[in-house]
Amino acid sequence: AQTVTQSQPEMSVQEAETVTLSCTYDTSESNYYLFWYKQPPSRQMILVIRQEAYKQQNATENRFSVNFQKAAKSFSLKISDSQLGDTAMYFCAFMKPMEYGNKLVFGAGTILRVKS
Amino acid sequence: GAVVSQHPSWVICKSGTSVKIECRSLDFQATTMFWYRQFPKQSLMLMATSNEGSKATYEQGVEKDKFLINHASLTLSTLTVTSAHPEDSSFYICSARRQGTENSPLHFGNGTRLTVT
C-alpha cells in the first residue's frame, strides 16, 4: 500500500517570504499522480498543484511550485511571496491511476501560518 | 468549474438518532464519489468509495452498517450515520470526480460538521 509522509506538523513564514513544505511517499509504481491540497480555516479542500510522475518537468502554478524527485520519492511544495491568505493546512496526496476508484491517499498535513 | 455541494454544512443530533448527509455534483456526473472523515488538525481518512448503481466499497475498519452509503444517481451520494453516538462527532467531507476523467483531481464538498449530543 502506498504511504504519504509529511514530516512537518507546523510551519510559519513571514509575509512575502518563501517557504517549502516537504512530502515523501512510498510506492512501487512507476506511473502515478501527486497533488497538493490546501485546507484553509473554512475547511474547503482546494487543489493547489498537480504532478504526473511520468513528467520530469516540475509543475508550477503562479506562486506555487513543486520539486519532484522521483528517484527519491520526494514531492515538496514551494510557496513564493507568501500571503496571509496562504495560511492553511496543506496536504500532500498520492493517486495510483486505474486503481479501483482512483482514490487519494493523503499525508498527515502541515499547518502553515503566514505572519504579517 | 466543477462544483460539489454538500448538505447540511453542520448538524447536531441526539445520541441514538440517524443523520443523513448529501453530496451532489452540481454541474457534472460522477460515477464515483468518496466519503472522508476528518478530526481536528488531522488528515482526511477515507471511509468508503461510493459507486453509482452498486454497493459502496468500505475501507478496513469502517462499519458498513453504521455508515450507510447510497449512490442512487450520477449526481447524488448520501451518507447516513445510523444510531449516532458522541464518538461519531466529526467533520465529514465528500468528493467526486467528473465521469470519464479518472485521472483528474477530485472536487470536494464544503464538508459537514456532525455533533452528537
Side-chain angles (χ1 to χ4, degrees):
Chain A
Q2 287 78 22
T3 58
V4 179
T5 302
Q6 292 179 250
S7 59
Q8 305 152 314
E10 297 189 26
M11 293 190 72
S12 61
V13 63
Q14 208 64 30
E15 198 175 7
E17 293 188 347
T18 296
V19 65
T20 298
L21 309 183
S22 66
C23 171
T24 59
Y25 56 94
D26 184 26
T27 184
S28 58
E29 302 294 326
S30 59
N31 187 28
Y32 48 86
Y33 294 82
L34 296 164
F35 305 89
W36 278 97
Y37 279 88
K38 165 186 176 181
Q39 188 181 41
S42 67
R43 304 196 78 169
Q44 172 70 51
M45 292 289 285
I46 301 167
L47 176 67
V48 175
I49 203 164
R50 169 191 179 190
Q51 176 79 43
E52 297 161 11
Y54 64 86
K55 289 187 177 180
Q56 293 186 341
Q57 186 173 6
N58 290 326
T60 300
E61 287 289 342
N62 300 315
R63 297 183 295 108
F64 299 87
S65 61
V66 297
N67 183 5
F68 174 49
Q69 300 290 327
K70 191 172 183 179
K73 297 179 183 176
S74 170
F75 183 62
S76 61
L77 174 68
K78 185 173 82 171
I79 305 174
S80 304
D81 186 25
S82 296
Q83 301 176 0
L84 295 178
D86 295 334
T87 292
M89 192 159 187
Y90 286 80
F91 294 100
C92 178
F94 174 100
M95 184 181 81
K96 175 185 170 184
M98 304 313 295
E99 183 178 63
Y100 182 73
N102 283 24
K103 57 188 178 184
L104 288 177
V105 176
F106 286 95
T110 296
I111 297 172
L112 176 66
R113 294 185 176 87
V114 180
K115 300 179 178 180
S116 60
Chain B
V3 177
V4 175
S5 173
Q6 194 171 334
H7 179 80
S9 56
W10 60 271
V11 58
I12 302 173
C13 71
K14 292 185 177 181
S15 187
T17 62
S18 295
V19 174
K20 180 184 286 187
I21 303 170
E22 293 187 347
C23 180
R24 293 181 185 272
S25 53
L26 296 184
D27 55 353
F28 65 97
Q29 293 183 328
T31 308
T32 304
M33 293 184 176
F34 302 89
W35 287 96
Y36 294 86
R37 181 174 182 176
Q38 186 182 29
F39 292 104
K41 294 188 178 182
Q42 293 189 24
S43 189
L44 281 71
M45 182 192 77
L46 180 65
M47 299 175 66
T49 302
S50 173
N51 308 293
E52 187 269 335
S54 64
K55 292 183 179 181
T57 304
Y58 289 83
E59 295 299 304
Q60 191 172 7
V62 177
E63 300 176 60
K64 58 182 66 177
D65 294 330
K66 173 76 171 173
F67 299 99
L68 299 179
I69 292 173
N70 183 275
H71 194 152
S73 77
L74 286 171
T75 59
L76 173 64
S77 174
T78 61
L79 168 67
T80 301
V81 182
T82 63
S83 186
H85 288 93
E87 57 265 31
D88 298 325
S89 297
S90 189
F91 191 69
Y92 294 87
I93 309 176
C94 73
S95 66
R97 183 180 286 116
R98 187 184 299 273
Q99 185 183 30
T101 62
E102 282 70 27
N103 295 330
S104 65
L106 289 173
H107 302 282
F108 287 83
N110 287 338
T112 297
R113 183 180 301 280
L114 170 64
T115 302
V116 184
T117 60

